[in-house]
Amino acid sequence: MKIELIPAIDIIGGQCVRLTKGDYDQKTVYGKPIDMAKEFERIGFNRLHVVDLDGAKNRHIVNDSVLREITSNTKLTVDFGGGIKSHDDVDAAFQAGAQMVTIGSIAVTHPHLFTWWLQKYGPDRVILGADVRNGKISINGWKEDSTEDLLPFLKKYVDAGVKNVLCTEISKDGTLSGPAIDLYREVLNAYPDLHLIASGGVSSIDDIKALDKAGIPAVVFGKAIYEGRIDLEDLWRAGQKNN
């Protein structure tokens, strides 16, 4: 497979959790984030997607100490999102060791600020988060739906220099019901040069292979790991084939 494999760790209260469709009332706890991060590194993964769900809910970074613990004790390349609303939040994420930040809500509510960060830190360090529900971009920890349609929203930032987009189909997230491949194809048909990171619904290695076959550059996956649907050793071996 050529697709980039990015395991995910979502954090609430310093613990590794997964939600269903972004619902904080549908939460399952899976232990310590540092333990999972070390396991990903041991197997051979070099990327990690970390989401501060407390931060997303409270609109400022909360779990930067957990991020620092991961970056201080592994060599994983970490992208961090959740609650990044200010210059202080961006600085806190980078100071805690994140190599990249994923920013979504601010790109909707304060586009000039997002564009400023994109210019300051560069398109390799700023990932545009595009979380979609019913075709609209969702913000603030998926608590609110904006009026922004996905493709015009992306065009605005592709024109501004965005290269990396993390696209989550919220109705799929945490459901293990399969990824929204048609949605990702639509995005890549419109913007073929994007490094599109698919997120939501991955339930098996076959789902990841289907994304790879569809030409999706990268995938984030989480719940399928924690629920035992994906064996990480098997996935890593599959990922090495044809690379």
Side-chain angles (χ1 to χ4, degrees), residues 57 66 91 100 105 111 126-127 154 160 165 172 186 204 227:
K57 193 173 186 179
V66 180
D91 288 343
M100 294 168 277
S105 298
V126 176
I127 300 169
L154 293 179
V165 171
K172 295 279 191 178
E186 184 181 6
S204 65
E227 292 292 316

Side-chain angles (χ1 to χ4, degrees), residues 4-5 40 44-48 75-78 236:
E4 183 180 18
L5 303 171
F40 296 144
F45 296 94
N46 54 29
R47 274 289 306 275
L48 179 63
K75 294 181 180 179
L76 294 167
T77 297
V78 179
W236 178 250

Side-chain angles (χ1 to χ4, degrees), residues 44-64:
F45 296 94
N46 54 29
R47 274 289 306 275
L48 179 63
H49 176 61
V50 175
V51 181
D52 182 353
L53 290 174
D54 290 316
K57 193 173 186 179
N58 290 284
R59 304 191 184 192
H60 63 85
I61 287 180
V62 174
N63 287 291
D64 50 318

Side-chain angles (χ1 to χ4, degrees), residues 127-157:
I127 300 169
L128 175 63
D131 302 329
V132 185
R133 179 163 45 209
N134 299 321
K136 302 290 186 182
I137 299 295
S138 186
I139 60 174
N140 294 327
W142 301 349
K143 298 295 183 186
E144 304 172 40
D145 292 334
S146 75
T147 59
E148 297 264 12
D149 291 312
L150 176 61
L151 291 183
F153 174 75
L154 293 179
K155 184 180 189 309
K156 176 168 55 180
Y157 288 115

Side-chain angles (χ1 to χ4, degrees), residues 12-186:
I12 291 179
Q15 294 180 305
C16 182
V17 305
R18 295 302 290 178
L19 307 182
T20 298
K21 298 183 182 180
D23 186 348
Y24 283 72
D25 293 326
Q26 297 187 60
K27 177 183 73 176
T28 307
V29 177
Y30 295 101
K32 293 183 178 181
I34 184 60
D35 293 338
M36 286 306 307
K38 286 182 175 179
E39 179 66 2
F40 296 144
E41 183 178 46
R42 181 194 68 78
I43 290 169
F45 296 94
N46 54 29
R47 274 289 306 275
L48 179 63
H49 176 61
V50 175
V51 181
D52 182 353
L53 290 174
D54 290 316
K57 193 173 186 179
N58 290 284
R59 304 191 184 192
H60 63 85
I61 287 180
V62 174
N63 287 291
D64 50 318
S65 61
V66 180
L67 170 63
R68 184 175 289 105
E69 184 179 22
I70 291 170
T71 60
S72 298
N73 291 282
T74 73
K75 294 181 180 179
L76 294 167
T77 297
V78 179
D79 76 83
F80 180 85
I84 296 177
K85 307 291 187 185
S86 68
H87 296 305
D88 287 346
D89 290 323
V90 175
D91 288 343
F94 285 136
Q95 287 174 13
Q99 284 91 346
M100 294 168 277
V101 290
T102 300
I103 301 171
S105 298
I106 286 294
V108 174
T109 60
H110 296 83
H112 295 298
L113 182 56
F114 177 87
T115 303
W116 191 85
W117 287 334
L118 181 66
Q119 292 171 348
K120 179 179 180 180
Y121 297 105
D124 293 328
R125 300 197 76 192
V126 176
I127 300 169
L128 175 63
D131 302 329
V132 185
R133 179 163 45 209
N134 299 321
K136 302 290 186 182
I137 299 295
S138 186
I139 60 174
N140 294 327
W142 301 349
K143 298 295 183 186
E144 304 172 40
D145 292 334
S146 75
T147 59
E148 297 264 12
D149 291 312
L150 176 61
L151 291 183
F153 174 75
L154 293 179
K155 184 180 189 309
K156 176 168 55 180
Y157 288 115
V158 168
D159 289 347
V162 160
K163 294 180 181 177
N164 298 285
V165 171
L166 173 67
C167 186
T168 302
E169 169 51 70
I170 295 170
S171 69
K172 295 279 191 178
D173 191 71
T175 64
L176 301 173
S177 61
I181 294 178
D182 289 343
L183 175 69
Y184 306 131
R185 280 201 186 104
E186 184 181 6

